[in-house]
Amino acid sequence: MRRLSAILLILASVVLLTGPAFAAKTKVRVAFATWVGYAPLYIAQEKGLFEKYGLDVDIMIIDDESQYAAAMASGNIDALGNVLDREVIHFAKGTPEVVLFAMDESSGGDGIIASAEVESLADLRGKSVGLDKSSTSYFFFLTALQKAGVNEENVTIHEMGASDAGAAFVAGNLDAAVSWEPWLSKASEREGGHVLVSSKDFPRTIVDVFVMRSDFAKKHPDAAVGMTRAWFDAIKWYRANPEEGNEIMGKGLGESAEAIADMASGVTFFGEAGNKAFFDRSTENDIYEVAERAGAFWRKKGIITEELDVDALITDTYIRDATE
């Protein structure tokens, strides 16, 4: 009888040890560049939100697009935070991925700085502009030109990094530059220098999204939903605790809390409500429309050759499952 009781006790212990509290967590390898828009993932990590949803998330910083694009394509990472228009390119070129949720949009943190004689986008005709054609700066610039009815051929583009473009403009070597903070604020260091337009004037243009490899999401659907829920929780927590949140994000990105606060002032984070609205096809400038616009731009430029299958790249499945 004692032996039977001992066996039952052992079996009960095994059940407890293999229950939910001790269940193996799903490992998710996530990468993104050094940008505040992705940094709430550090809050999710610090506050145990990944663990809450059964996830073991490994976060890594990869600033070079060719490297993180290759890592995603090869399966060396499972998920990535990146700009939507760039992921349109990666997907169109064969990377098997799906957009789980939107992270943030630039709402003043990016822009075009210009000299005194450039008072409107139309005045850019015949002027020299510094920008990075391999980044979303190019998409933003083309969007602005299209609105103004200016052809790209009417502008002399000098290809360089966004920070280099900002520095070259302030030094007086360019008529205009497509850049981001702190160069937008530094534009006035050049006499007559000013912000011509910013991403605040072009909502739903520079949008960051969280993409996961399609095969990984299919194999681990709970992980895809869990990542979505953890992001929603992190944004909710950050809005209630901005000072501590800036400290956590600054630690993750190697920046001061003050610098993070300045960066965050130029972005709008997408939480649960924002994502539900952005993924609603009945709303203006929804995510599908933004992706289709990006696809049309890159196809016109010859960067991609096929028409974008936006429904294969983007789904509201994970947002709906995360909010049920």
Side-chain angles (χ1 to χ4, degrees), residues 20-43:
F22 293 91
K25 296 179 177 63
T26 303
K27 181 82 170 180
V28 186
R29 299 164 299 174
V30 176
F32 50 80
T34 306
W35 173 239
V36 70
Y38 313 127
L41 290 173
Y42 286 116
I43 293 176

Side-chain angles (χ1 to χ4, degrees), residues 123-134:
D123 292 336
L124 287 172
R125 291 187 178 91
K127 298 297 191 294
S128 60
V129 181
L131 62 83
D132 183 359
K133 279 192 172 184
S134 67

Side-chain angles (χ1 to χ4, degrees), residues 88 139 290-302 304 308:
V88 164
F139 178 56
V290 175
E292 286 172 349
R293 187 168 73 241
F297 266 109
W298 295 133
R299 189 179 179 193
K300 182 179 179 181
K301 292 298 174 185
I304 61 177
L308 176 69

Side-chain angles (χ1 to χ4, degrees), residues 36-113:
V36 70
Y38 313 127
L41 290 173
Y42 286 116
I43 293 176
Q45 189 175 59
E46 178 77 13
K47 294 301 176 179
L49 302 178
F50 293 139
E51 185 176 7
K52 175 182 176 182
Y53 296 113
L55 304 174
D56 177 13
V57 178
D58 180 16
I59 295 177
M60 61 194 83
I61 294 288
I62 305 177
D63 283 317
D64 185 276
E65 181 177 7
S66 63
Q67 292 182 16
Y68 61 67
M72 190 69 173
S74 64
N76 286 328
I77 57 175
D78 307 307
L80 175 70
N82 197 24
V83 192
L84 176 58
D85 73 279
R86 303 305 297 178
E87 286 313 301
V88 164
I89 295 174
H90 299 161
F91 176 77
K93 290 188 174 183
T95 299
E97 62 184 42
V98 60
V99 175
L100 301 191
F101 54 86
M103 305 179 84
D104 71 285
E105 72 167 314
S106 179
S107 50
D110 297 78
I112 302 173
I113 51 180

Side-chain angles (χ1 to χ4, degrees), residues 262-285:
D262 287 341
M263 294 180 196
S265 67
V267 305
T268 300
F269 290 106
F270 286 98
E272 179 178 327
N275 266 281
K276 290 172 75 174
F278 193 30
F279 280 70
D280 183 349
R281 289 184 184 271
S282 68
T283 61
E284 185 178 1
N285 277 335

Side-chain angles (χ1 to χ4, degrees), residues 7-310:
I7 292 173
L8 290 174
L9 181 60
I10 292 171
L11 289 174
S13 299
V14 170
V15 170
L16 287 173
L17 289 173
T18 57
F22 293 91
K25 296 179 177 63
T26 303
K27 181 82 170 180
V28 186
R29 299 164 299 174
V30 176
F32 50 80
T34 306
W35 173 239
V36 70
Y38 313 127
L41 290 173
Y42 286 116
I43 293 176
Q45 189 175 59
E46 178 77 13
K47 294 301 176 179
L49 302 178
F50 293 139
E51 185 176 7
K52 175 182 176 182
Y53 296 113
L55 304 174
D56 177 13
V57 178
D58 180 16
I59 295 177
M60 61 194 83
I61 294 288
I62 305 177
D63 283 317
D64 185 276
E65 181 177 7
S66 63
Q67 292 182 16
Y68 61 67
M72 190 69 173
S74 64
N76 286 328
I77 57 175
D78 307 307
L80 175 70
N82 197 24
V83 192
L84 176 58
D85 73 279
R86 303 305 297 178
E87 286 313 301
V88 164
I89 295 174
H90 299 161
F91 176 77
K93 290 188 174 183
T95 299
E97 62 184 42
V98 60
V99 175
L100 301 191
F101 54 86
M103 305 179 84
D104 71 285
E105 72 167 314
S106 179
S107 50
D110 297 78
I112 302 173
I113 51 180
S115 57
E117 61 269 21
V118 180
E119 298 179 351
S120 69
L121 288 166
D123 292 336
L124 287 172
R125 291 187 178 91
K127 298 297 191 294
S128 60
V129 181
L131 62 83
D132 183 359
K133 279 192 172 184
S134 67
S135 77
T136 200
S137 294
Y138 189 34
F139 178 56
F140 174 73
F141 185 63
L142 294 178
T143 300
L145 288 187
Q146 183 183 59
K147 182 177 180 180
V150 178
N151 292 324
E152 181 185 356
E153 293 73 21
N154 298 141
V155 179
T156 302
I157 293 179
H158 297 272
E159 292 190 55
M160 60 186 75
S163 294
D164 291 337
F169 171 79
V170 171
N173 298 325
L174 295 167
D175 298 312
V178 186
S179 193
W180 47 58
E181 291 292 7
W183 295 104
L184 303 192
S185 298
K186 290 183 176 183
S188 59
E189 293 180 7
R190 171 178 172 175
E191 185 176 355
H194 64 285
V195 177
L196 182 63
V197 294
S198 77
S199 51
K200 189 175 182 179
D201 303 304
F202 294 88
R204 303 296 196 265
T205 299
I206 303 178
V207 178
D208 289 310
V209 294
F210 189 87
V211 297
M212 180 173 281
R213 280 186 57 92
S214 303
D215 52 356
F216 188 88
K218 185 176 181 179
K219 183 177 180 180
H220 304 285
D222 289 345
V225 175
M227 287 297 305
T228 306
R229 286 175 172 157
W231 175 264
F232 291 166
D233 288 357
I235 297 303
K236 183 178 180 180
W237 185 92
Y238 177 52
R239 287 170 176 164
N241 306 274
E243 292 186 4
E244 185 182 352
N246 289 335
E247 290 281 355
I248 293 170
M249 293 192 294
K251 182 180 178 182
L253 295 179
E255 299 280 355
S256 67
E258 293 75 18
I260 292 296
D262 287 341
M263 294 180 196
S265 67
V267 305
T268 300
F269 290 106
F270 286 98
E272 179 178 327
N275 266 281
K276 290 172 75 174
F278 193 30
F279 280 70
D280 183 349
R281 289 184 184 271
S282 68
T283 61
E284 185 178 1
N285 277 335
D286 63 75
I287 190 170
Y288 305 94
E289 183 181 335
V290 175
E292 286 172 349
R293 187 168 73 241
F297 266 109
W298 295 133
R299 189 179 179 193
K300 182 179 179 181
K301 292 298 174 185
I303 304 299
I304 61 177
T305 58
E306 301 294 330
E307 187 172 344
L308 176 69
D309 183 355
V310 68

